[in-house]
Amino acid sequence: MAKAPVRNRRSTKRGMSFKSSTYFYDLPDVPTKEISALTNTKPAIATSVGHGLKTGDVVWLESEENGAINGYYLVDVSNEDTFALMILDGEDIGTITDAKFTTPKRYSFCDATSVKISAFKTKEINVTTICDEDSVVELETEPGTISLSGLWEPDKAVQSFLEDMAEEKETIFFTMKPKGSKRMRGYQVKITSYDWDGKSEDKWQFAMELKINGRGRKLDMTTGAK
């Protein structure tokens, strides 16, 4: 009698790391690396001689002349002196002569076993006026959210960092590149909830909710395409 074929079974062991390169970035020091030029292109190209960056790095950009550009960016390196700032639209920033950048501290986050990203949400707003014959409805964009859950061992440095940032309501940066994907995504976020409990033997379960602040950054690591 023929035997039934043996089926491969996937392991469901708890505590396996999420198949993704996932990172959080610390609040930056005062930027000290000068940018001598920032183009009015989309994306904006920064010139900084001997910048020392590589494609996929994260920088904090800052300017007193135009504070609207301040924030975290993924970079696409052109050469040793120039790099693109994803997703900074240089067409709207005018001339900036005082821009500086720094590279924030990075924490790997292999503890996550589940990641759910809702990049943005929309809702309908009734903007009908007395001059309109028919009802007028517009779509308004609301901030998106990121949900993380998984298992970790207490007292890791990244946990202390995240707990401090949650308590201080600070904006931080989160990046993720799924295994096998060529695209990296980054989001400025604030932590809105931070929970953990000890129902998982030697590892603790955690759950976090993050609110996305502004547009997401994305970068094709193979071509630099936006």
Side-chain angles (χ1 to χ4, degrees), residues 131-142:
C131 298
D132 295 315
E133 295 182 1
D134 300 313
S135 176
V136 180
V137 175
E138 293 182 355
L139 286 178
E140 182 177 281
T141 301
E142 295 184 318

Side-chain angles (χ1 to χ4, degrees), residues 142-153:
E142 295 184 318
T145 58
I146 299 175
S147 301
L148 300 172
S149 61
L151 302 171
W152 60 21
E153 297 175 1

Side-chain angles (χ1 to χ4, degrees), residues 35-103:
I35 293 175
S36 58
L38 200 56
T39 65
N40 298 121
T41 57
K42 187 177 181 180
I45 307 297
T47 298
S48 178
V49 177
H51 53 67
L53 300 170
K54 63 182 183 299
T55 295
D57 279 349
V58 172
V59 298
W60 169 266
L61 181 70
E62 194 168 302
S63 165
E64 292 186 5
E65 292 179 347
N66 187 347
I69 73 170
N70 295 0
Y72 294 95
Y73 296 90
L74 290 170
V75 302
D76 179 23
V77 172
S78 306
N79 55 53
E80 62 183 10
D81 296 328
T82 62
F83 57 90
L85 293 153
M86 323 304 290
I87 53 170
L88 180 59
D89 186 352
E91 297 174 351
D92 297 329
I93 64 176
T95 301
I96 298 177
T97 61
D98 71 337
K100 295 181 179 180
F101 76 95
T102 189
T103 305

Side-chain angles (χ1 to χ4, degrees), residues 1-196:
M1 182 176 180
K3 293 183 179 181
V6 177
R7 294 183 178 180
N8 294 324
R9 295 174 180 258
R10 291 186 177 181
S11 171
T12 56
K13 180 181 177 182
R14 301 184 71 190
M16 295 178 66
S17 61
F18 187 73
K19 300 302 181 184
S20 163
S21 297
T22 308
Y23 299 94
F24 281 103
Y25 296 79
D26 200 348
L27 287 171
D29 296 326
V30 176
T32 57
K33 299 180 181 178
E34 294 187 357
I35 293 175
S36 58
L38 200 56
T39 65
N40 298 121
T41 57
K42 187 177 181 180
I45 307 297
T47 298
S48 178
V49 177
H51 53 67
L53 300 170
K54 63 182 183 299
T55 295
D57 279 349
V58 172
V59 298
W60 169 266
L61 181 70
E62 194 168 302
S63 165
E64 292 186 5
E65 292 179 347
N66 187 347
I69 73 170
N70 295 0
Y72 294 95
Y73 296 90
L74 290 170
V75 302
D76 179 23
V77 172
S78 306
N79 55 53
E80 62 183 10
D81 296 328
T82 62
F83 57 90
L85 293 153
M86 323 304 290
I87 53 170
L88 180 59
D89 186 352
E91 297 174 351
D92 297 329
I93 64 176
T95 301
I96 298 177
T97 61
D98 71 337
K100 295 181 179 180
F101 76 95
T102 189
T103 305
K105 182 177 180 180
R106 184 177 76 170
Y107 293 95
S108 62
F109 199 66
C110 302
D111 312 82
T113 57
S114 176
V115 177
K116 179 181 178 181
I117 299 176
S118 299
F120 63 90
K121 301 174 182 178
T122 59
K123 65 177 180 180
E124 291 186 344
I125 304 294
N126 191 326
V127 294
T128 307
T129 70
I130 58 173
C131 298
D132 295 315
E133 295 182 1
D134 300 313
S135 176
V136 180
V137 175
E138 293 182 355
L139 286 178
E140 182 177 281
T141 301
E142 295 184 318
T145 58
I146 299 175
S147 301
L148 300 172
S149 61
L151 302 171
W152 60 21
E153 297 175 1
D155 299 329
K156 290 177 126 181
V158 67
Q159 290 171 244
S160 297
F161 165 64
L162 292 172
E163 189 167 8
D164 289 346
M165 294 302 97
E167 291 175 349
E168 295 170 16
K169 303 179 180 66
E170 293 285 359
T171 295
I172 56 178
F173 200 62
F174 169 81
T175 63
M176 185 183 74
K177 181 178 176 294
K179 184 178 181 180
S181 173
K182 61 184 180 179
R183 179 161 289 187
M184 177 180 287
R185 287 175 168 81
Y187 303 91
Q188 289 191 157
V189 297
K190 286 190 177 183
I191 301 171
T192 55
S193 69
Y194 178 94
D195 305 293
W196 49 303

